[in-house]
Amino acid sequence: MNILVCVKYVPGEVDLELNNAHHLNREAMAGVINPFDLYAMEAAARLKDEDDSVRITALTMGPQGAKKALKECLALGAEDAYLLTDDVLIGADAYDTAKALAKAVKTIERTKGAFDAIFIGSKTIDGNTSQLAMRLCEELGLPALTYALTATRREQSLEVLVENDEGNRVYDIKLPAVLSFTKAEFNTRYPEIVRIIESEHTDIPTLSAKDIGYVKESKKTAIHMEEAGFAPTEKQGLMIEEKLGEDSAKKLVGVLFEEHLL
Amino acid sequence: MKNILIYGQTDENGVLKRGCLELISLAQKISEDGKISMVLFGDESMTARKQAAEHGITHLIIIKDEKEIHMSLIKPYGKAIKKILDEEYFDVLLISATPVGRDIAPYVANLGGYAMMSHCLDAHLTKAGTIVWSGAGFGGTLRTKATFDGEGTQIVTVRPGLFSVPEPVTDTTCEVEVRESVLQPDDLLSLIRILKKSEIIDLESAEVVVAGGKGTGGERGFALIRDLADAFGGVVGASRQAVDRGWIGHEHLVGQSGKIISPKLYIACGIAGYVQHLTGMRDSGFIVSINTDPRALIYDVSDVCVVGDMFEVLPPLITEVKKIRG
């Protein structure tokens, strides 16, 4: 089984920086692998735990610095990793990203063979658009399941546990397919020290837009960021600090009533 | 004048999801008296038909199909919505950011070659008639305002819980169009089984969420939280601290690794307010926090900060709320 895991290198939680175009200044930030993508990587690694013949390839799109995310994937169990990087992809939205990733998938398949499954995170902690899985599956002409928690191998398919508010569901999905993973109750694994050292020496090929035959396509609509700023961090909330809990409760009820919340 | 199409998601009983009714309020805010249409999947007899007409939909398209959408219908329903956009021009397609809506919207956008905006919080019209969409990025840390370039339909998902449902009116006219479905479910996907359906926790569409953290001390505290949530007709939420201690299930988790919600009223009890939790609830309409620590971080995002012991404040609060709500 041949699995491709797509990961995104996202800024850590501190030191966000905005550039003139109201976009996050990605070059300047110390990053991490998007936590949701780590669950996609974990799901692939678990399939490999079960079956040694499973091969995992990691792919990311981003600046040169995003290679750090790929090294982590190698240390977590991926055999190969590719960086898709090109100036034409700077500021790519979900539409552009899905088109570019689909082309990169096709390009990698030419040397590595067809992928049976493509795993990604269900959302990212930076953009949080949650658009990619459904766009990517359409670009690749594959079925998709989103918000997966675990995946188990069956003969020609995967049995997938999917998060659902009205009771989690188990699906069977024919391969090849696109699966997006969300955070599960278990923790993702830590890389083995030996693999961390090995990953430092593994060659990570770089793909350019030209290599994958990507040309930015025009779309019917595009999003124009007018303003971006940091949310006000502190509200000056009304303090209720009565001696008796009962008095505090009554005062609170009064406020809720005035606000039409009761 | 803007013509707006809303995807009306229904449950197994053919009832519209609350978030979809809220979209009518948003549509009325930006339509400048344009047509507000809704597309439904189901049949003519479903409750949603009446709900849509009563709450201000003037044009309803019913596609005869399954009332309750499931995973293998996301693509066919997406294709049907895209076909409507091809046949008739709509300025805006509004979809509630439910788990299903979050999948359908980008699928429709991709089929039609559109960009799309996810999880918007609000919108307003400029004097020139441009719609400016408000959103949040990086877990609520960043606030954004964005517009669409280009002439195509603006496809947007909107977080449920932020708008009121328009008041029902009886003397409405709603043009109803019924179409036969030609959709084939995706046969590459099949549902094998549904696990534990005993308790439905729809945090994302709840109007009121009462949440507990470390300060609840466990079961006794959560019993009070449940009572208060029941008194409000709301849903119970929890912080990571409470979930990790096994006091309550993961499905109640609010925060970066749980649900990101924006109910009308959020009451946080015994929650410290670490950034991961704030990410999940800071966009709520009105936030009340009850904590013994007067310096609790949660107060920074709260509209009302009650300094006190939840075991002393909650029992009289529950009594009062029950009295008022009858």
Side-chain angles (χ1 to χ4, degrees), chain B residues 232-304:
Chain B
F232 273 107
V235 171
V236 174
S239 73
R240 167 64 70 195
Q241 303 278 331
V243 171
D244 280 354
R245 283 173 172 75
W247 296 342
I248 188 152
H250 186 263
E251 62 276 19
H252 293 270
L253 180 64
V254 174
Q256 197 180 61
S257 50
K259 292 287 180 318
I260 296 175
I261 57 170
S262 40
K264 277 218 180 85
L265 173 62
Y266 189 89
I267 304 181
C269 307
I271 293 179
Y274 295 115
V275 67
Q276 290 84 351
H277 185 74
L278 301 187
T279 292
M281 44 64 77
R282 64 185 308 158
D283 291 315
S284 303
F286 197 84
I287 300 170
V288 175
S289 49
I290 302 170
N291 207 301
T292 46
D293 178 3
R295 290 180 311 276
L297 294 167
I298 191 106
Y299 291 144
D300 291 347
V301 300
S302 300
D303 298 284
V304 177

Side-chain angles (χ1 to χ4, degrees), chain A residues 4-6 57-67 70 80-90 97 99-112 115 203-215:
Chain A
L4 178 76
V5 181
C6 297
T57 304
L59 168 66
T60 194
M61 184 179 114
Q64 284 295 335
K67 267 194 182 168
L70 293 173
D80 304 290
Y82 292 84
L83 172 70
L84 171 58
T85 190
D86 204 299
D87 285 353
V88 73
L89 294 165
I90 294 174
T97 306
K99 300 250 178 217
L101 284 180
K103 294 228 182 253
V105 169
K106 295 287 177 203
T107 306
I108 298 168
E109 281 184 332
R110 261 178 249 138
T111 48
K112 294 283 165 186
F115 292 110
D203 177 46
I204 297 180
T206 300
L207 299 171
S208 67
K210 198 176 157 212
D211 293 334
I212 60 168
Y214 172 81
V215 185

Side-chain angles (χ1 to χ4, degrees), chain A residues 126 128-129 131 135 138-139 142 146-147 166 168 170 172 220-222 224 226-227 229 231 235 238 240, chain B residues 75 102-103 110 112-114 116 118 138 141 143 145 147 149 190 192-193 195 197 300 303 305 307:
Chain A
D126 55 349
N128 186 24
T129 68
Q131 295 183 22
R135 286 186 180 272
E138 178 55 22
E139 293 298 328
L142 298 178
T146 52
Y147 304 96
E166 294 168 18
N168 292 347
V170 180
D172 181 85
K220 289 185 191 145
T221 54
H224 180 76
E226 304 276 340
E227 265 178 67
K235 275 188 195 170
L238 170 74
I240 297 180
Chain B
K75 284 190 178 185
R102 290 197 295 255
D103 276 357
N110 215 74
Y114 301 100
M116 100 161 249
S118 301
F138 221 89
T141 316
R143 290 309 157 101
K145 287 198 190 307
T147 53
D149 287 340
S190 57
I192 305 174
R193 58 183 176 274
L195 308 174
K197 209 186 175 177
D300 291 347
D303 298 284
C305 317
V307 185

Side-chain angles (χ1 to χ4, degrees), chain A residues 8 10-11 24 26 34 123-131 225, chain B residues 117-119 135-140 142 144:
Chain A
K8 187 178 184 189
V10 297
L24 285 168
R26 293 183 188 274
N34 172 42
K123 60 178 176 182
T124 61
I125 58 165
D126 55 349
N128 186 24
T129 68
S130 350
Q131 295 183 22
M225 199 60 83
Chain B
M117 229 172 305
S118 301
H119 321 318
F138 221 89
L142 292 179
T144 58

Side-chain angles (χ1 to χ4, degrees), chain A:
Chain A
M1 192 186 189
N2 222 351
I3 306 172
L4 178 76
V5 181
C6 297
V7 298
K8 187 178 184 189
Y9 191 60
V10 297
E13 283 190 29
V14 281
D15 59 75
L16 296 185
E17 223 180 278
L18 294 168
N19 66 18
N20 294 336
H22 306 302
H23 289 130
L24 285 168
N25 192 356
R26 293 183 188 274
E27 287 286 1
M29 288 172 209
V32 293
I33 293 186
N34 172 42
F36 292 84
D37 299 342
L38 275 179
Y39 278 87
M41 186 61 217
E42 176 69 26
R46 286 182 176 209
L47 287 165
K48 196 185 168 80
D49 293 342
E50 293 292 313
D51 175 1
D52 213 29
S53 71
V54 169
R55 286 189 66 85
I56 304 172
T57 304
L59 168 66
T60 194
M61 184 179 114
Q64 284 295 335
K67 267 194 182 168
K68 283 187 199 140
L70 293 173
K71 286 203 169 136
E72 198 175 327
C73 290
L74 290 168
L76 287 167
E79 279 86 11
D80 304 290
Y82 292 84
L83 172 70
L84 171 58
T85 190
D86 204 299
D87 285 353
V88 73
L89 294 165
I90 294 174
D93 65 4
Y95 176 98
D96 306 324
T97 306
K99 300 250 178 217
L101 284 180
K103 294 228 182 253
V105 169
K106 295 287 177 203
T107 306
I108 298 168
E109 281 184 332
R110 261 178 249 138
T111 48
K112 294 283 165 186
F115 292 110
D116 300 292
I118 291 156
F119 288 3
I120 68 170
S122 59
K123 60 178 176 182
T124 61
I125 58 165
D126 55 349
N128 186 24
T129 68
S130 350
Q131 295 183 22
L132 202 56
M134 291 311 290
R135 286 186 180 272
L136 189 58
C137 78
E138 178 55 22
E139 293 298 328
L140 293 168
L142 298 178
L145 272 173
T146 52
Y147 304 96
L149 295 164
T150 59
T152 325
R153 183 74 190 276
R154 289 175 141 201
E155 257 177 44
Q156 302 294 323
S157 61
L158 284 174
E159 186 176 307
V160 185
L161 175 65
V162 169
E163 186 183 66
N164 188 295
D165 287 344
E166 294 168 18
N168 292 347
R169 278 142 203 233
V170 180
Y171 288 90
D172 181 85
I173 185 165
K174 297 264 181 331
L175 298 177
V178 174
L179 258 60
S180 85
F181 286 83
T182 190
K183 284 191 181 180
E185 286 185 50
F186 50 81
N187 290 322
T188 55
R189 68 193 59 198
Y190 290 103
E192 289 168 36
I193 303 288
V194 188
R195 293 204 66 125
I196 296 177
I197 298 164
E198 278 173 8
S199 73
E200 286 300 323
H201 304 291
T202 309
D203 177 46
I204 297 180
T206 300
L207 299 171
S208 67
K210 198 176 157 212
D211 293 334
I212 60 168
Y214 172 81
V215 185
K216 196 168 180 171
E217 290 178 35
S218 68
K219 52 203 155 198
K220 289 185 191 145
T221 54
I223 290 166
H224 180 76
M225 199 60 83
E226 304 276 340
E227 265 178 67
F230 293 96
T233 48
E234 270 181 53
K235 275 188 195 170
Q236 294 299 323
L238 170 74
M239 299 298 286
I240 297 180
E241 217 167 339
E242 304 299 316
K243 271 205 188 85
L244 288 175
E246 197 180 338
D247 293 338
S248 287
K250 281 193 174 143
K251 211 165 169 179
L252 174 58
V253 166
V255 176
L256 295 179
F257 196 76
E258 275 173 33
E259 295 284 337
H260 304 287
L261 292 162
L262 255 177

Side-chain angles (χ1 to χ4, degrees), chain B residues 213-228:
Chain B
K214 193 175 155 192
T216 56
E219 273 174 35
R220 194 174 135 244
F222 267 98
L224 281 174
I225 284 180
R226 221 172 277 279
D227 284 350
L228 184 59

